[in-house]
Amino acid sequence: MKKYLFAVMAVLLAMVSCTDSQFLDETVGNTTELSSTNELNTLIEKARWGDGQAFLKLADCYRDGKGVNKDFIGMLAMLSQAGEYGGISNMEDYLKTMPKGSDFKLIFDAVENNEKKNVEEATSMFEELIAKGCPDGYAIQGILTMERGDTLEGVRLIEQAAIAGSTFAELLQCVPDWRGATNPDVDKLTALSDKIPFVNAILAKMYAGYEDETLQNDQLAAYYYLKADEKACLGKRGARWLLGYHRSGGKLSLSERDIQRLQILAGETPVDNQEPTTNRDEALEASVSTILQGAMTERNCTKGMVYVVETATGAIKAQVALSSKGKQFVPYEDTYDKEQSVMMTGPTYLALLSTGKISSDDVIDTEFGIYKDVKDYNWCRGGYGKLTLEQALGYRSQVAFTKAKERVYGNQTALLDNKISEYLADMPDNAMGILTFYNAVANGGRMVKLQAEGDDVIVLNEQIAEPTHIATLQKGMEHAVKRGVFRKAGRSYTSVAACGRTFYTKGNNRRMELCGYFPADNPMYTIMVILEKYGVPASAGSMCGTIMANTIDVLVDSYDLRSMLVREYEGHESVVRCQ
């Protein structure tokens, strides 16, 4: 059944390995909402740990166009990988469950009719596919046309499919004699490698010398296998090759966690033990601890804490909390848990917009930066004057927010507090509550539970606020780093967004908090930094910002993210400081 179609699929997948192959397209063109993108990233990360169910769900994503464009061969390739890692027993079972209205089910129905010699009915189905804008219809029709002996017409249809956007057809064009599975066009494959991550696994296998020893180049093979791995396109063969290359002295920057994951993918670790018992990365925590201790010593801080969270999943990668005892640093448990005692700019911003009584573009006159008992950061230099609410977020103008609260809520402060409590998922105003909130902002409004252990993503709230309001909050937080008061958290090679506060606690003690994420346009990690000290100077922007920036550097180097952070960040504008 469907022998021609599966024969072609087998040829393409065999270019990577006999059974270990899959590929995943980049998200191009129009996509779904950011929450779907984060869900996709979560599935990719699970698949990179050999989770067969994750591959099965990725197949659904390509079938339905959830988080990515619909892609026929992407769906089939993910099903192949799901079978390899135990997510499905066979592909036929999945095909039987496909929705009747699915374009891809129509493809298989058309192929089946063609095999049964119902050519007229099959042709009608292909015409329906083409009318629905499914370019793979041309590709499959081209394959069957060639099988019937009309090579020229078959090639024309495949070319037409490629022009219309069929990745299946583009791959076929890279292997001119695909029926014999030989002589792939290396230049064409290289050109497609950024668009179709699966192609990186094909190139890696070629440079590993599996088919032609004259092409062998271990450095290029390692490069392309690592690129394939980023999108869960490695497979057992690729994992085994990378482990062997690493063990033989090959230059690879692999952490202990990377090696553990590759061992799982390669089949060296039993499936029952494939996930580590903890999400925390000991090497990362050690590096963060060194950064924190240096900053606490330099700034005479009595307490310090840094959290690093995987944005999409809520997995806590690092958690360091230290208290200084002279020149010694000892672990401590943060006990601050006041409820809405000090204005939190991010939740307050959303609470204001939620009423519909004020917008992000509304102008507020901060005058000279002093209002009642509230002072802005640069009051001694004349204040900010007139600011929109969004600009006030970037400069963290407490005068602007105080006036906005009075305008919107008046004396009904309980309503404001209740709204903020909702945004914090009813957690108190503590480190975990604030970090959970800003991680949700990074996720486009999707709030997940933060966990040091466990691999299941627990969703606390699918959408904490209107997406448009979340978007303006994200923009304001990025502005706060780019040109505002938190610019020291920024890095030149990636965009960063952050929000923070500095306030008094008991005994004239200052507490500084800064929470942010990067890259600002597609967040991967959320970071929270907290410092406490006696007296001045005390600034969340300068003190916590530096720690956040250094933590980003460590993350990027530890997880080899620099090649992924291609956005060139603009220079920061200077901020006037009070002496």
Side-chain angles (χ1 to χ4, degrees):
M1 183 180 178
K2 308 176 183 65
K3 60 182 178 180
Y4 300 134
L5 179 58
F6 285 128
V8 177
M9 277 296 303
V11 166
L12 290 173
L13 295 178
M15 293 171 70
V16 183
S17 68
C18 294
T19 60
D20 303 351
S21 337
Q22 74 289 340
F23 74 93
L24 187 63
D25 280 343
E26 293 281 11
T27 303
V28 294
N30 294 327
T31 62
T32 57
E33 294 181 5
L34 180 63
S35 59
S36 293
T37 301
N38 285 318
E39 289 172 18
L40 184 77
N41 290 339
T42 300
L43 289 176
I44 291 173
E45 184 61 22
K46 286 178 176 290
R48 292 180 74 233
W49 281 89
D51 187 327
Q53 287 297 317
F55 280 111
L56 189 61
K57 291 177 182 178
L58 284 170
D60 290 342
C61 289
Y62 281 102
R63 182 194 70 196
D64 301 330
K66 183 178 180 182
V68 290
N69 287 343
K70 286 185 179 180
D71 189 272
F72 176 63
I73 198 169
M75 178 194 74
L76 291 179
M78 286 299 153
L79 286 175
S80 175
Q81 189 74 358
E84 179 179 6
Y85 288 103
I88 191 173
S89 57
N90 61 74
M91 195 176 294
E92 288 287 345
D93 288 344
Y94 181 85
L95 299 180
K96 292 174 184 177
T97 65
M98 292 178 68
K100 291 184 178 180
S102 169
D103 292 346
F104 300 154
K105 180 173 175 57
L106 189 59
I107 286 177
F108 282 99
D109 289 343
V111 172
E112 188 167 4
N113 273 289
N114 186 79
E115 287 189 5
K116 293 178 178 179
K117 308 302 181 182
N118 299 329
V119 178
E120 185 175 338
E121 189 171 352
T123 300
S124 175
M125 289 181 174
F126 284 124
E127 290 175 351
E128 182 181 348
L129 280 167
I130 292 167
K132 292 174 69 175
C134 179
D136 295 306
Y138 291 111
I140 307 300
Q141 190 175 17
I143 292 170
L144 299 180
T145 300
M146 293 177 73
E147 292 293 341
R148 290 196 295 266
D150 192 345
T151 301
L152 290 178
E153 176 62 12
V155 169
R156 186 193 69 79
L157 287 168
I158 290 172
E159 289 177 348
Q160 190 171 355
I163 292 171
S166 169
T167 55
F168 187 16
E170 288 185 276
L171 282 173
L172 287 174
Q173 290 181 318
C174 292
V175 192
D177 53 345
W178 51 266
R179 285 167 292 182
T182 58
N183 300 325
D185 190 321
V186 177
D187 290 336
K188 284 185 178 180
L189 287 172
T190 303
L192 283 176
S193 63
D194 287 332
K195 180 180 180 182
I196 309 174
F198 168 66
V199 170
N200 290 294
I202 297 175
L203 288 166
K205 183 185 176 184
M206 293 169 59
Y207 286 120
Y210 285 118
E211 303 297 337
D212 186 349
E213 291 185 359
T214 63
L215 286 176
Q216 185 168 355
N217 184 319
D218 286 349
Q219 287 185 333
L220 283 176
Y223 170 77
Y224 283 111
Y225 270 135
L226 289 173
K227 284 190 67 177
D229 182 42
E230 292 174 3
K231 294 292 185 179
C233 304
L234 190 59
K236 287 184 179 179
R237 183 190 290 267
R240 291 166 184 163
W241 190 95
L242 282 175
L243 284 171
Y245 183 63
H246 174 69
R247 290 163 180 165
S248 64
K251 295 182 178 179
L252 293 177
S253 298
L254 298 178
S255 67
E256 289 299 320
R257 185 175 170 83
D258 290 330
I259 294 172
Q260 182 183 25
R261 183 175 57 78
L262 289 175
Q263 289 173 335
I264 291 166
L265 286 175
E268 296 181 6
T269 302
V271 174
D272 290 343
N273 298 319
Q274 61 179 339
E275 285 285 6
T277 57
T278 178
N279 293 321
R280 290 163 69 172
D281 184 331
E282 291 183 3
L284 177 64
E285 285 192 335
S287 297
V288 171
S289 179
T290 299
I291 293 170
L292 183 58
Q293 289 181 41
M296 289 175 65
T297 300
E298 181 181 356
R299 302 292 189 173
N300 295 317
C301 294
T302 57
K303 295 178 181 178
M305 183 166 63
V306 178
Y307 272 99
V308 178
V309 173
E310 194 173 70
T311 304
T313 66
I316 298 174
K317 311 301 290 184
Q319 179 180 352
V320 180
L322 300 173
S323 176
S324 64
K325 302 293 184 181
K327 294 184 178 180
Q328 300 295 317
F329 293 92
V330 296
Y332 90 102
E333 182 178 354
D334 186 47
T335 57
Y336 179 83
D337 62 355
K338 302 299 182 183
E339 296 186 5
Q340 289 84 58
S341 58
V342 180
M343 185 181 71
M344 294 172 288
T345 312
T348 302
Y349 179 79
L350 292 181
L352 291 169
L353 295 182
S354 70
T355 65
K357 298 178 180 180
I358 193 170
S359 73
S360 59
D361 296 326
D362 281 4
V363 175
I364 301 165
D365 191 356
T366 67
E367 300 180 56
F368 299 107
I370 301 176
Y371 179 70
K372 297 182 177 178
D373 59 346
V374 178
K375 292 182 180 179
D376 274 342
Y377 187 76
N378 70 336
W379 66 272
C380 60
R381 299 299 180 94
Y384 293 114
K386 292 182 179 180
L387 296 173
T388 64
L389 187 61
E390 185 177 317
Q391 289 173 330
L393 182 68
Y395 291 112
R396 202 182 187 279
S397 171
Q398 295 203 55
V399 170
F401 272 87
T402 300
K403 288 187 173 183
K405 286 193 296 181
E406 290 180 356
R407 181 193 304 181
V408 173
Y409 283 96
N411 295 324
Q412 297 177 310
T413 56
L415 292 178
L416 174 62
D417 289 343
N418 289 338
K419 194 66 179 176
I420 291 175
S421 182
E422 289 180 21
Y423 294 137
L424 295 181
D426 293 325
M427 288 185 283
D429 173 9
N430 60 10
M432 188 61 72
I434 296 170
L435 178 57
T436 302
F437 168 78
Y438 282 112
N439 193 65
V441 172
N443 269 323
R446 185 172 186 256
M447 179 176 282
V448 298
K449 184 178 180 180
L450 308 187
Q451 302 181 93
E453 296 182 357
D455 62 341
D456 292 333
V457 178
I458 301 174
V459 180
L460 301 176
N461 191 335
E462 280 291 351
Q463 192 67 41
I464 65 171
E466 287 290 330
T468 54
H469 297 166
I470 293 289
T472 58
L473 176 54
Q474 291 173 329
K475 184 178 177 182
M477 289 175 61
E478 185 176 3
H479 180 270
V481 176
K482 194 172 185 179
R483 299 185 180 89
V485 296
F486 303 126
R487 64 188 180 90
K488 285 199 174 182
R491 307 315 285 153
S492 61
Y493 54 83
T494 187
S495 54
V496 181
C499 197
R501 59 182 182 172
T502 302
F503 56 94
Y504 289 98
T505 58
K506 293 180 180 180
N508 199 35
N509 196 34
R510 268 81 168 180
R511 183 177 173 98
M512 296 157 278
E513 300 176 344
L514 185 65
C515 195
Y517 52 83
F518 80 97
D521 48 3
N522 189 21
M524 298 171 63
Y525 292 95
T526 307
I527 301 169
M528 184 161 191
V529 180
I530 297 173
L531 292 173
E532 288 191 14
K533 65 169 298 187
Y534 298 109
V536 293
S539 168
S542 62
M543 296 184 182
C544 296
T546 302
I547 297 173
M548 181 174 290
N550 290 335
T551 300
I552 291 172
D553 288 341
V554 168
L555 269 168
V556 169
D557 292 339
S558 297
Y559 296 158
D560 195 21
L561 304 177
R562 199 171 294 270
S563 61
M564 301 172 63
L565 304 175
V566 296
R567 175 176 171 181
E568 192 67 28
Y569 193 49
E570 298 176 19
H572 309 300
E573 293 183 1
S574 61
V575 177
V576 176
R577 300 187 175 279
C578 298
Q579 302 298 324

